[in-house]
């Protein structure tokens, strides 16, 4: 997975995580220590991001900004919709 360099941050220390991990400033990770292993759990962060994405996707239903199956067939039928 790689290595993370620990750096001094004020009176504490911290690490910089690769952007490929998909973490953002303010994300809170659950941490567990088992012997010399530190286990970072981002499951709750992922759930929050998934929930926000789902809520954003369904926001159009609240504003009634949706298109019916019939309207899609009428608008896009020549491009293969509903065929």
């Amino acid at each position: 997975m790689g290595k993370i360099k620990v750096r001094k941050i004020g009176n504490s220390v911290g690490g910089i995580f690769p952007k490929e991990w998909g973490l953002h400033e303010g994300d809170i990770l659950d941490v567990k220590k088992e012997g010399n292993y530190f286990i970072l759990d981002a499951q709750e962060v992922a759930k929050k991001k998934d929930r926000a994405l789902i809520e954003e996707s369904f926001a159009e239903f609240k504003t009634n900004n949706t298109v019916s199956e019939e309207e899609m067939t009428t608008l896009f039928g020549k491009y293969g919709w509903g065929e």
Side-chain angles (χ1 to χ4, degrees), residues 34-49:
E34 292 183 3
N36 287 328
Y37 291 98
F38 291 93
I39 300 168
L40 303 176
D41 183 354
Q43 191 168 6
E44 290 302 315
V45 171
K47 284 181 186 177
K48 281 176 62 177
K49 289 178 182 170

Side-chain angles (χ1 to χ4, degrees), residues 21-30 41-52:
W21 287 12
L23 298 172
H24 296 92
E25 183 178 349
D27 288 346
I28 298 174
L29 304 175
D30 292 319
D41 183 354
Q43 191 168 6
E44 290 302 315
V45 171
K47 284 181 186 177
K48 281 176 62 177
K49 289 178 182 170
D50 289 347
R51 181 178 183 88

Side-chain angles (χ1 to χ4, degrees), residues 2-73:
K3 297 181 185 250
I4 297 173
K5 183 176 183 177
V6 177
R7 301 168 191 259
K8 183 170 176 42
I9 302 173
N11 291 330
S12 300
V13 293
I16 297 176
F17 304 108
K19 71 177 181 178
E20 292 81 25
W21 287 12
L23 298 172
H24 296 92
E25 183 178 349
D27 288 346
I28 298 174
L29 304 175
D30 292 319
V31 181
K32 181 169 55 169
K33 184 177 182 193
E34 292 183 3
N36 287 328
Y37 291 98
F38 291 93
I39 300 168
L40 303 176
D41 183 354
Q43 191 168 6
E44 290 302 315
V45 171
K47 284 181 186 177
K48 281 176 62 177
K49 289 178 182 170
D50 289 347
R51 181 178 183 88
L53 180 63
I54 290 168
E55 287 178 359
E56 181 181 314
S57 297
F58 283 98
E60 292 181 346
F61 287 104
K62 292 178 184 175
T63 61
N64 204 22
N65 189 19
T66 59
V67 180
S68 70
E69 184 81 23
E70 291 175 7
E71 292 171 307
M72 290 297 283
T73 302

